[in-house]
Amino acid sequence: MKKQNSFAGYLLIGIGGYFLLRELKVPIITDFYSWTTLLIIIGLALLIHSYSSKDYQNLFVGTIILGLGIHFHGMNHYAFWIDHWAVYPLIVGIAFIVRSLKTKKGLLPGVILIGGSLLLIFSIQLPAWFNWIYIIVDYLERYWPIAIIIIGIFLLKRKK
């Protein structure tokens, strides 16, 4: 029961701090008065709870929520922020790596997702001898739902 209470405590502290700073109208942090900050707070609460309770099952979800909050905040407030679909698998890859640091599971999928995402994000600037990557990227951008369907079928059929 203490583990659940600690998560609720972290979440309430974060949300209460957010609304207090919003009421005080602190000028330095006005960019953070948005729904994306609530995602960041929820993600941080999950991560802090996971580390403090040594219950690492929420590291993956906490990292994804934190990453999405940071990404959406960046897209809304910074002109230089990368707005590319491959950022989402990058966030999932980072979540795999964060979880693998404590559970020793998921390192390889994390590295593959991060590497592939970075390659896709920066594929616009590749030298001419990497033209074959553009063909693969075109197929991936068109047929990625098939990969998700296959992964879903695999997960359903896999024996536990």
Side-chain angles (χ1 to χ4, degrees):
M1 186 59 106
K2 184 179 181 209
K3 289 181 183 181
Q4 276 305 92
N5 290 340
S6 67
F7 171 67
Y10 295 131
L11 189 59
L12 289 173
I13 289 169
I15 291 174
Y18 166 77
F19 284 112
L20 175 64
L21 291 173
R22 191 171 176 174
E23 287 298 318
L24 295 175
K25 295 180 176 55
V26 178
I28 296 173
I29 57 171
T30 55
D31 282 349
F32 289 96
Y33 298 154
S34 68
W35 65 272
T36 59
T37 303
L38 294 175
L39 281 179
I40 293 170
I41 291 169
I42 292 168
L44 283 173
L46 281 167
L47 291 173
I48 292 168
H49 167 70
S50 292
Y51 280 110
S52 66
S53 67
K54 295 184 177 25
D55 181 15
Y56 304 117
Q57 69 182 8
N58 292 323
L59 286 178
F60 188 78
V61 174
T63 305
I64 288 176
I65 293 172
L66 175 64
L68 289 173
I70 291 170
H71 176 62
F72 294 142
H73 177 80
M75 284 182 19
N76 290 336
H77 296 290
Y78 305 112
F80 64 86
W81 201 264
I82 296 171
D83 183 14
H84 191 281
W85 65 267
V87 170
Y88 302 109
L90 176 69
I91 292 169
V92 173
I94 292 169
F96 271 114
I97 299 288
V98 168
R99 186 184 67 182
S100 75
L101 293 174
K102 289 296 180 182
T103 64
K104 308 296 185 227
K105 296 177 183 171
L107 181 63
L108 183 61
V111 170
I112 291 171
L113 281 170
I114 290 172
S117 296
L118 292 175
L119 182 67
L120 291 169
I121 289 170
F122 297 109
S123 66
I124 298 167
Q125 303 168 358
L126 292 176
W129 47 279
F130 275 118
N131 282 340
W132 58 273
I133 290 179
Y134 297 118
I135 297 168
I136 294 172
V137 169
D138 285 340
Y139 281 115
L140 287 175
E141 286 179 344
R142 181 167 294 157
Y143 298 113
W144 66 269
I146 294 172
I148 291 181
I149 292 168
I150 291 169
I151 292 169
I153 291 170
F154 171 75
L155 290 174
L156 289 174
K157 298 291 182 183
R158 185 177 72 171
K159 294 182 180 180
K160 294 182 179 184

